[in-house]
Structure formats: structure tokens, C-alpha cells
Amino acid sequence: MTEVEYVAQTHAAKEAVWLHHLFGELFPVINKPTDLHSDSQSVIVLTIGGHYHARTKHIDIRYHFIHYIIEARSIKLIYCPTDQQTADTLTKALPSIKAKHFVHAMGVQIEGKY
């Protein structure tokens, strides 16, 4: 499971770097790293520490891009527990109470009864 999340984090990091460069061209220079949230502590340890072992040696070299951009301080990887992942509302089915909580956390206002 760690390998899949590691690859997903790399894709997210590539998009974040691209958006960072785009915003840098449109607005004044942004000098701080882009925050990237993850709910996988094993991916964070693998990415930041760079400790690769026999179970991860098969991951294609192109997915280690995230390690290099974190070293370059373009991306800051931050742990966010699963129960605080607001974006889950957009990606998976949640119990009604949790979905309402996350919708409110995103600032979406729903008028009327539902």
C-alpha cells in the first residue's frame, strides 16, 4: 500500500510544482514551499528520509522525484490524519455527519433542508 501512496504523492507533488511555477509567473514571487498533505506516515518517512529497502527497491526511479523536490524545499510534506482529510468528501462516500462536517469545513453553504 505504501508504494501506491508514494506514487500518488509523487504525482500530486508534480502538479503542485507546476502550479507553483504558474502562480509565480502570474503573481509576485512565492518564496515559501508548497504544503502537501498526506495521511500516510510511512510515505512521509520514505519520502523525507529517503530510506529505501528491499520492499521499495522496485519503485521506478521516476517516482523518487518527490524526494528531490522536498530536498530542494519546493514542497513541504505535512502529516494530516485521515479523520481530518477534508477532501475525502470529494473522493469517497462518507457517513452523512462526516460529509456535512467536511462540507462546512470547506466553507460550502447549503441553503434549505436536506
Side-chain angles (χ1 to χ4, degrees), residues 39 82 85 87-95 99:
D39 65 346
T82 303
Q85 291 283 347
D88 280 354
T89 302
L90 305 172
T91 61
K92 57 178 87 165
L94 297 173

Side-chain angles (χ1 to χ4, degrees), residues 37-78:
H37 297 266
S38 175
D39 65 346
S40 174
Q41 292 180 352
S42 58
V43 169
I44 293 172
V45 169
L46 180 64
T47 304
I48 294 174
H51 301 288
Y52 304 105
H53 50 77
R55 299 185 85 185
T56 59
K57 70 179 182 180
H58 67 280
I59 298 174
D60 195 348
I61 190 75
R62 65 183 164 172
Y63 297 117
H64 297 306
F65 169 77
I66 190 169
H67 178 73
Y68 300 116
I69 61 171
I70 287 175
E71 278 185 348
R73 299 191 190 276
S74 297
I75 295 283
K76 181 179 178 185
L77 200 54
I78 299 172

